Amino acid sequence: MPIDITMPALSPTMTEGSLARWLVEEGQTVAPGDVIAEIETDKATMEVEAVDEGVIGRILIPAGTDGVAVNSVIGVLLTEGEEPPRLAERGPEPPAADPAVLEPPQPAGRAPAPVVDRAVSEPPRGAEKTGERVLASPLARRMAAQAGLDLRSIAGSGPHGRIVKTDIDAVLRVPEVPAPAARHSPDDEVVRLSSMRRVIAERMTEAKTTIPHFYLSVDCDIDRLLEFRAEINRRAAPSKVSINDIVIRACAAALRRVPAANVSWAGDGSMIRHHAVDISVAVAVPGGLVTPVVRNADAKGLVEIADEMKDFAARAREGKLLPEEYQGGSMSVSNLGMYGVKQFDAVINPPQASILAVGAGEARPVVRDGALAVAQVMTCTLSIDHRVLDGAAGGELLTAIRSFLEYPPAILA
């Protein structure tokens, strides 16, 4: 019988992706292991391989389609002697997507293919007992889970009674504020957001609206750090250690010194205390950013961290990071010092509880032993999730980070 080609789950948390392009056509013969399509997630582009030998009988989801739910059928593979199934035989058409989501452009001559939402095909928890099916968009499900709402008690206003964001907002008494209409001239270009950009927008909105941020800042005298780095680089050629590599190691050492800060929000009224110290690092890539994770950073040397970050950065810009390389992390580091930014407040990367924003080092007046002097000073700002950390714990963590930056030999002690 025909074999379904489904949207793969490239990570445990992935719920949907974009079908970037097909590398095969209908009627083309494929063998196991042949690359047949490319899937774009918010962080990388991954290849989909054929799992069996056969002929591509039908392509159900055209290239360029966004928001394709995990496990939904994107194509059909036929074995020898089989005919392509009729569309009607593949089951009823699923409910339409949220009205707020624009339909992707369709190739000429082909009818729009339905996008199957996993939220439609899977019943919610507890529904098995009553046979009840709750139709809800992934965003609505996430909002309901965060607010502790029972979806079965909410009336949906979307197609076929589907629960959408506005329904959750109504229950939470959050007014829907329409976005102002964007004005543009005929010469301006309207650009459809990439999958990465959309996920960044969604996660940053979630972070700023659900996480009670507070901020602590310190100025770090980095004269010794610069001397320390220069000495390491003289000894470590051809590897080169950057200031950011030392910041990563300092954050890891500080979390080891202040284990109470090595936590994350669990989303259900609890928090997770981490034993490993994994540091996420923001890396700019075309169209957005990714946060590869330096695992067990407190146990790694500076040269090892430097080499690992160079590899991460190169593969991140090529879209070749694996999901397990950018998921998780105890806290994040975001460094804009290379752009001359003096100080900024970074947005926490959920479910983490903190992120360190690192500014540029610059010559500033300081007081040493009661006398005025000039030193290289770098401002660091720690953004903290007040649900799991208070000011004292945040201050203790930031003080530890500063102590390691101002006397970096202690990092390796």
Side-chain angles (χ1 to χ4, degrees), residues 171-303:
V171 174
L172 297 176
R173 301 183 185 277
V174 178
E176 183 72 13
V177 179
R183 295 184 178 181
H184 58 86
S185 69
D187 295 332
D188 293 336
E189 180 184 3
V190 178
V191 180
R192 184 176 177 82
L193 294 181
S194 67
S195 177
M196 175 185 292
R197 190 77 256 167
R198 288 200 316 276
V199 171
I200 291 174
E202 179 180 315
R203 286 177 62 81
M204 292 301 96
T205 301
E206 174 190 353
K208 289 297 286 185
T209 55
T210 64
I211 299 177
H213 287 60
F214 73 96
Y215 309 93
L216 303 174
S217 295
V218 292
D219 292 332
C220 303
D221 182 337
I222 60 171
D223 279 351
R224 285 182 177 175
L225 184 152
L226 295 175
E227 295 172 357
F228 177 74
R229 173 177 174 249
E231 179 62 25
I232 286 181
N233 286 339
R234 279 194 292 269
R235 298 171 180 265
S239 295
K240 294 295 181 182
V241 173
S242 69
I243 291 177
N244 206 50
D245 299 327
I246 299 175
V247 171
I248 294 168
R249 187 63 176 81
C251 288
L255 282 176
R256 185 57 69 196
R257 177 182 289 183
V258 189
N262 192 16
V263 295
S264 62
W265 176 250
D268 57 355
S270 60
M271 66 180 183
I272 299 172
R273 291 194 181 278
H274 301 287
H275 295 291
V277 179
D278 303 327
I279 305 297
S280 301
V281 186
V283 174
V285 298
L289 60 85
V290 293
T291 52
V293 182
V294 179
R295 308 286 178 185
N296 300 307
D298 60 317
K300 292 180 177 177
L302 290 170
V303 174

